[in-house]
Amino acid sequence: GAGVATMVLVILVLSWFFRWDRLDAILPRLAGVSAIFLALYLVIKSIDFTVHGKWNFVFGPDITWETKVFWAEMLLQVLIPLVIFALPTRRNRALLWIGSASAFIGLIMHRINTGIVGYFTTSDAVYIPNLSEFILSFGVVSGAGLLFFFLIEKFPVLVGTGFGAPE
């Protein structure tokens, strides 16, 4: 769900960067697919809480600061995009920006929540990535971006769109 919403965000950014409007027709459909997966994620998460008896950490007496982080994550990653993408408003470009950016930020929060914050209560030490891990992560993302732009500019990936290598 949030992954498909991230694809919507990437297309929106690229269409702004390259002044595309040819991909606008697929954005509402991708947003609709994202809404389906986000709703499915919400159902699976609810089943998980029920099976493992964890609702007391979400609604009640065992609420901690981590619960508040979880609610912020769910609001950004699932609820806001789900509402925007499930309604006909998904044809509105500004709302697509809001919904996809919200899902992307929520997805990042989820990764931080499960990868770093989740260790706060289960270990005696706080894990903070060192500089080389940050540099490596930035390098991987930068390399993927450079590869993408290289492929778009040098090969006929976007044949018929007016962008990329000559036909």
Side-chain angles (χ1 to χ4, degrees):
V4 179
T6 300
M7 287 174 44
V8 171
L9 182 63
V10 167
I11 292 170
L12 285 167
V13 169
L14 291 174
S15 67
W16 171 79
F17 186 73
F18 286 116
R19 310 276 189 260
W20 291 345
D21 59 355
R22 293 178 173 93
L23 297 175
D24 287 351
I26 66 168
L27 291 175
R29 289 184 289 191
L30 273 177
V33 169
S34 178
I36 292 168
F37 283 113
L38 289 169
L40 184 63
Y41 176 78
L42 199 58
V43 167
I44 291 170
K45 194 65 124 168
S46 299
I47 292 169
D48 180 47
F49 284 154
T50 302
V51 168
H52 293 101
K54 299 296 182 181
W55 286 110
N56 56 318
F57 293 105
V58 178
F59 293 114
D62 299 325
I63 291 177
T64 64
W65 66 271
E66 292 158 324
T67 303
K68 295 172 185 167
V69 172
F70 169 78
W71 275 112
E73 171 193 320
M74 291 302 287
L75 182 69
L76 289 169
Q77 183 184 358
V78 179
L79 300 177
I80 292 172
L82 182 59
V83 169
I84 291 173
F85 295 163
L87 300 174
T89 56
R90 71 174 172 257
R91 301 198 185 287
N92 181 316
R93 194 172 181 85
L95 289 176
L96 282 174
W97 273 99
I98 292 169
S100 60
S102 175
F104 181 67
I105 293 167
L107 185 63
I108 290 170
M109 282 186 70
H110 179 75
R111 297 296 180 240
I112 291 170
N113 195 17
T114 57
I116 297 173
V117 177
Y119 293 118
F120 286 174
T121 57
T122 59
S123 71
D124 293 333
V126 175
Y127 171 73
I128 299 174
N130 61 33
L131 182 61
S132 64
E133 290 173 306
F134 281 113
I135 292 171
L136 178 66
S137 298
F138 181 74
V140 168
V141 172
S142 298
L146 288 172
L147 178 64
F148 174 79
F149 283 120
F150 174 78
L151 292 173
I152 292 297
E153 291 178 0
K154 300 297 180 190
F155 296 97
V157 174
L158 300 172
V159 173
T161 64
F163 296 98
E167 299 174 22

